[in-house]
Amino acid sequence: MTICPTSTRRAPAAAAPAAAPPAGPPAALPPAAVRTRVVVPLRFPDGYATTADVLTFDGLVDGKEHLLLGLGAWRDRLGELAAGGTAPLVRPHSECLTGDVFGSQRCDCGPQLREAAERITVAGGFLLYLRQEGRGIGLYAKLDAYALQDAGLDTYEANVALGRGEDERDYRAAAQMLRAVGAGRIRLLSNNPDKAGQLAAYGVGVDEQVPTGVHLSAANERYLTVKRYHTAHTLDLSGLGGVGGLGA
């Protein structure tokens, strides 16, 4: 594979079967309630445009201001779901100021957000924008971790060196939001098996895990490779060879 200075998108891998449900009953969560719903036209830097129903909530367990964006024919998908049909396509997307807003190529967050908006608009479903920057450690700590990565640590090692967890993200509020709008089963647009496991543990059935594309750049090659081999993200990196000391 040729690594270009700008991002190169590869087609997503085939969808994976649903993860095995967790043993025992789902963890109990208090219900959340929709607070406000507004219509927001969206336009991305490449010109792609769609319209979102943006929902806010009361009663989220972590007290943060997360958003649920209903895209495409999401109401129809919920109707089909209630009748036992296909579940809505859902992406829980963790906030990334550097990638989502400034277009940083050190990660793949911005391209994944853009991809998710279009794919969910076509399929009908929800984009959850979760306020847990830097895999839950916050913006300043994430930039501290970048400095450690520049000194040779990988993305997970850097978090641990700061005295934080490798990944501190918590999907309880995501489960609350989905349940509040009636999405008790979903098709999960994500490469991350931890998202599927946490959502299932909190009572949201994951019928299918649908991979995103691979958004590769010269600046994020090592980052994506570490995610693939350290935390089993479903990323097709065939053809890369050894990266950052990790064999393909």
Side-chain angles (χ1 to χ4, degrees), residues 209-226:
Q209 186 165 344
V210 182
T212 73
V214 178
H215 303 282
L216 183 67
S217 72
N220 72 19
E221 179 182 355
R222 184 170 186 244
Y223 167 78
L224 294 182
T225 303
V226 172

PDB file of all heavy atoms in Angstrom, residues 209-226:
ATOM      1  N   GLN A 209     -21.740  -5.756  13.904  1.00  0.00           N
ATOM      2  CA  GLN A 209     -20.711  -4.720  13.987  1.00  0.00           C
ATOM      3  C   GLN A 209     -20.206  -4.447  12.579  1.00  0.00           C
ATOM      4  O   GLN A 209     -19.659  -5.325  11.908  1.00  0.00           O
ATOM      5  CB  GLN A 209     -19.564  -5.133  14.905  1.00  0.00           C
ATOM      6  CG  GLN A 209     -18.565  -4.007  15.123  1.00  0.00           C
ATOM      7  CD  GLN A 209     -17.620  -4.251  16.287  1.00  0.00           C
ATOM      8  OE1 GLN A 209     -17.879  -5.110  17.128  1.00  0.00           O
ATOM      9  NE2 GLN A 209     -16.539  -3.501  16.344  1.00  0.00           N
ATOM     10  N   VAL A 210     -20.414  -3.216  12.111  1.00  0.00           N
ATOM     11  CA  VAL A 210     -20.105  -2.808  10.750  1.00  0.00           C
ATOM     12  C   VAL A 210     -18.826  -1.976  10.771  1.00  0.00           C
ATOM     13  O   VAL A 210     -18.804  -0.901  11.383  1.00  0.00           O
ATOM     14  CB  VAL A 210     -21.260  -1.984  10.147  1.00  0.00           C
ATOM     15  CG1 VAL A 210     -20.941  -1.593   8.706  1.00  0.00           C
ATOM     16  CG2 VAL A 210     -22.580  -2.751  10.233  1.00  0.00           C
ATOM     17  N   PRO A 211     -17.736  -2.411  10.150  1.00  0.00           N
ATOM     18  CA  PRO A 211     -16.483  -1.643  10.201  1.00  0.00           C
ATOM     19  C   PRO A 211     -16.580  -0.346   9.407  1.00  0.00           C
ATOM     20  O   PRO A 211     -17.305  -0.248   8.417  1.00  0.00           O
ATOM     21  CB  PRO A 211     -15.449  -2.587   9.568  1.00  0.00           C
ATOM     22  CG  PRO A 211     -16.108  -3.917   9.477  1.00  0.00           C
ATOM     23  CD  PRO A 211     -17.576  -3.683   9.416  1.00  0.00           C
ATOM     24  N   THR A 212     -15.821   0.644   9.838  1.00  0.00           N
ATOM     25  CA  THR A 212     -15.635   1.843   9.027  1.00  0.00           C
ATOM     26  C   THR A 212     -14.528   1.574   8.008  1.00  0.00           C
ATOM     27  O   THR A 212     -13.849   0.543   8.055  1.00  0.00           O
ATOM     28  CB  THR A 212     -15.224   3.059   9.879  1.00  0.00           C
ATOM     29  OG1 THR A 212     -13.861   2.912  10.296  1.00  0.00           O
ATOM     30  CG2 THR A 212     -16.118   3.218  11.098  1.00  0.00           C
ATOM     31  N   GLY A 213     -14.352   2.515   7.096  1.00  0.00           N
ATOM     32  CA  GLY A 213     -13.204   2.445   6.212  1.00  0.00           C
ATOM     33  C   GLY A 213     -11.915   2.675   6.977  1.00  0.00           C
ATOM     34  O   GLY A 213     -11.917   3.043   8.159  1.00  0.00           O
ATOM     35  N   VAL A 214     -10.793   2.434   6.309  1.00  0.00           N
ATOM     36  CA  VAL A 214      -9.473   2.682   6.885  1.00  0.00           C
ATOM     37  C   VAL A 214      -8.962   4.007   6.321  1.00  0.00           C
ATOM     38  O   VAL A 214      -8.734   4.128   5.119  1.00  0.00           O
ATOM     39  CB  VAL A 214      -8.504   1.538   6.565  1.00  0.00           C
ATOM     40  CG1 VAL A 214      -7.118   1.835   7.144  1.00  0.00           C
ATOM     41  CG2 VAL A 214      -9.033   0.220   7.115  1.00  0.00           C
ATOM     42  N   HIS A 215      -8.800   4.993   7.187  1.00  0.00           N
ATOM     43  CA  HIS A 215      -8.401   6.338   6.769  1.00  0.00           C
ATOM     44  C   HIS A 215      -6.931   6.525   7.135  1.00  0.00           C
ATOM     45  O   HIS A 215      -6.588   6.965   8.230  1.00  0.00           O
ATOM     46  CB  HIS A 215      -9.294   7.376   7.447  1.00  0.00           C
ATOM     47  CG  HIS A 215     -10.747   7.173   7.158  1.00  0.00           C
ATOM     48  ND1 HIS A 215     -11.326   7.559   5.968  1.00  0.00           N
ATOM     49  CD2 HIS A 215     -11.735   6.581   7.887  1.00  0.00           C
ATOM     50  CE1 HIS A 215     -12.614   7.248   5.991  1.00  0.00           C
ATOM     51  NE2 HIS A 215     -12.880   6.649   7.134  1.00  0.00           N
ATOM     52  N   LEU A 216      -6.078   6.187   6.204  1.00  0.00           N
ATOM     53  CA  LEU A 216      -4.651   6.074   6.457  1.00  0.00           C
ATOM     54  C   LEU A 216      -3.913   7.308   5.950  1.00  0.00           C
ATOM     55  O   LEU A 216      -4.174   7.800   4.854  1.00  0.00           O
ATOM     56  CB  LEU A 216      -4.123   4.830   5.741  1.00  0.00           C
ATOM     57  CG  LEU A 216      -2.655   4.482   5.933  1.00  0.00           C
ATOM     58  CD1 LEU A 216      -2.382   4.073   7.359  1.00  0.00           C
ATOM     59  CD2 LEU A 216      -2.278   3.360   4.966  1.00  0.00           C
ATOM     60  N   SER A 217      -2.993   7.825   6.764  1.00  0.00           N
ATOM     61  CA  SER A 217      -2.096   8.891   6.330  1.00  0.00           C
ATOM     62  C   SER A 217      -0.705   8.583   6.849  1.00  0.00           C
ATOM     63  O   SER A 217      -0.522   7.722   7.728  1.00  0.00           O
ATOM     64  CB  SER A 217      -2.570  10.257   6.855  1.00  0.00           C
ATOM     65  OG  SER A 217      -2.346  10.364   8.245  1.00  0.00           O
ATOM     66  N   ALA A 218       0.289   9.278   6.341  1.00  0.00           N
ATOM     67  CA  ALA A 218       1.654   9.061   6.817  1.00  0.00           C
ATOM     68  C   ALA A 218       1.760   9.351   8.304  1.00  0.00           C
ATOM     69  O   ALA A 218       2.552   8.741   9.019  1.00  0.00           O
ATOM     70  CB  ALA A 218       2.615   9.951   6.027  1.00  0.00           C
ATOM     71  N   ALA A 219       0.933  10.284   8.801  1.00  0.00           N
ATOM     72  CA  ALA A 219       1.024  10.687  10.203  1.00  0.00           C
ATOM     73  C   ALA A 219       0.312   9.737  11.148  1.00  0.00           C
ATOM     74  O   ALA A 219       0.606   9.720  12.355  1.00  0.00           O
ATOM     75  CB  ALA A 219       0.462  12.108  10.373  1.00  0.00           C
ATOM     76  N   ASN A 220      -0.643   8.919  10.650  1.00  0.00           N
ATOM     77  CA  ASN A 220      -1.387   8.055  11.578  1.00  0.00           C
ATOM     78  C   ASN A 220      -1.120   6.565  11.370  1.00  0.00           C
ATOM     79  O   ASN A 220      -1.775   5.720  11.978  1.00  0.00           O
ATOM     80  CB  ASN A 220      -2.885   8.346  11.507  1.00  0.00           C
ATOM     81  CG  ASN A 220      -3.559   7.866  10.226  1.00  0.00           C
ATOM     82  OD1 ASN A 220      -3.059   7.011   9.502  1.00  0.00           O
ATOM     83  ND2 ASN A 220      -4.734   8.424   9.942  1.00  0.00           N
ATOM     84  N   GLU A 221      -0.156   6.231  10.523  1.00  0.00           N
ATOM     85  CA  GLU A 221       0.112   4.831  10.208  1.00  0.00           C
ATOM     86  C   GLU A 221       0.416   4.009  11.469  1.00  0.00           C
ATOM     87  O   GLU A 221      -0.161   2.936  11.693  1.00  0.00           O
ATOM     88  CB  GLU A 221       1.286   4.742   9.232  1.00  0.00           C
ATOM     89  CG  GLU A 221       1.674   3.328   8.843  1.00  0.00           C
ATOM     90  CD  GLU A 221       2.881   3.322   7.918  1.00  0.00           C
ATOM     91  OE1 GLU A 221       3.355   4.404   7.512  1.00  0.00           O
ATOM     92  OE2 GLU A 221       3.353   2.218   7.619  1.00  0.00           O
ATOM     93  N   ARG A 222       1.301   4.507  12.320  1.00  0.00           N
ATOM     94  CA  ARG A 222       1.647   3.752  13.531  1.00  0.00           C
ATOM     95  C   ARG A 222       0.465   3.687  14.496  1.00  0.00           C
ATOM     96  O   ARG A 222       0.203   2.661  15.119  1.00  0.00           O
ATOM     97  CB  ARG A 222       2.853   4.392  14.217  1.00  0.00           C
ATOM     98  CG  ARG A 222       3.329   3.600  15.448  1.00  0.00           C
ATOM     99  CD  ARG A 222       4.663   4.099  15.959  1.00  0.00           C
ATOM    100  NE  ARG A 222       5.155   3.247  17.035  1.00  0.00           N
ATOM    101  CZ  ARG A 222       5.336   3.656  18.286  1.00  0.00           C
ATOM    102  NH1 ARG A 222       5.072   4.904  18.615  1.00  0.00           N
ATOM    103  NH2 ARG A 222       5.786   2.837  19.206  1.00  0.00           N
ATOM    104  N   TYR A 223      -0.267   4.788  14.605  1.00  0.00           N
ATOM    105  CA  TYR A 223      -1.446   4.847  15.478  1.00  0.00           C
ATOM    106  C   TYR A 223      -2.466   3.777  15.091  1.00  0.00           C
ATOM    107  O   TYR A 223      -2.962   3.027  15.940  1.00  0.00           O
ATOM    108  CB  TYR A 223      -2.041   6.248  15.377  1.00  0.00           C
ATOM    109  CG  TYR A 223      -3.421   6.427  15.954  1.00  0.00           C
ATOM    110  CD1 TYR A 223      -3.612   6.554  17.330  1.00  0.00           C
ATOM    111  CD2 TYR A 223      -4.540   6.507  15.122  1.00  0.00           C
ATOM    112  CE1 TYR A 223      -4.885   6.743  17.851  1.00  0.00           C
ATOM    113  CE2 TYR A 223      -5.806   6.698  15.628  1.00  0.00           C
ATOM    114  CZ  TYR A 223      -5.970   6.817  16.998  1.00  0.00           C
ATOM    115  OH  TYR A 223      -7.224   7.012  17.515  1.00  0.00           O
ATOM    116  N   LEU A 224      -2.772   3.654  13.797  1.00  0.00           N
ATOM    117  CA  LEU A 224      -3.742   2.665  13.361  1.00  0.00           C
ATOM    118  C   LEU A 224      -3.223   1.250  13.557  1.00  0.00           C
ATOM    119  O   LEU A 224      -3.979   0.339  13.923  1.00  0.00           O
ATOM    120  CB  LEU A 224      -4.097   2.889  11.889  1.00  0.00           C
ATOM    121  CG  LEU A 224      -4.837   4.185  11.546  1.00  0.00           C
ATOM    122  CD1 LEU A 224      -5.161   4.220  10.055  1.00  0.00           C
ATOM    123  CD2 LEU A 224      -6.103   4.337  12.368  1.00  0.00           C
ATOM    124  N   THR A 225      -1.946   1.049  13.341  1.00  0.00           N
ATOM    125  CA  THR A 225      -1.368  -0.285  13.511  1.00  0.00           C
ATOM    126  C   THR A 225      -1.443  -0.729  14.971  1.00  0.00           C
ATOM    127  O   THR A 225      -1.778  -1.877  15.272  1.00  0.00           O
ATOM    128  CB  THR A 225       0.090  -0.304  13.022  1.00  0.00           C
ATOM    129  OG1 THR A 225       0.131   0.111  11.667  1.00  0.00           O
ATOM    130  CG2 THR A 225       0.684  -1.699  13.135  1.00  0.00           C
ATOM    131  N   VAL A 226      -1.154   0.178  15.882  1.00  0.00           N
ATOM    132  CA  VAL A 226      -1.232  -0.164  17.306  1.00  0.00           C
ATOM    133  C   VAL A 226      -2.674  -0.488  17.694  1.00  0.00           C
ATOM    134  O   VAL A 226      -2.930  -1.439  18.445  1.00  0.00           O
ATOM    135  CB  VAL A 226      -0.662   0.982  18.166  1.00  0.00           C
ATOM    136  CG1 VAL A 226      -0.924   0.724  19.648  1.00  0.00           C
ATOM    137  CG2 VAL A 226       0.835   1.129  17.916  1.00  0.00           C
TER     138      VAL A 226
END
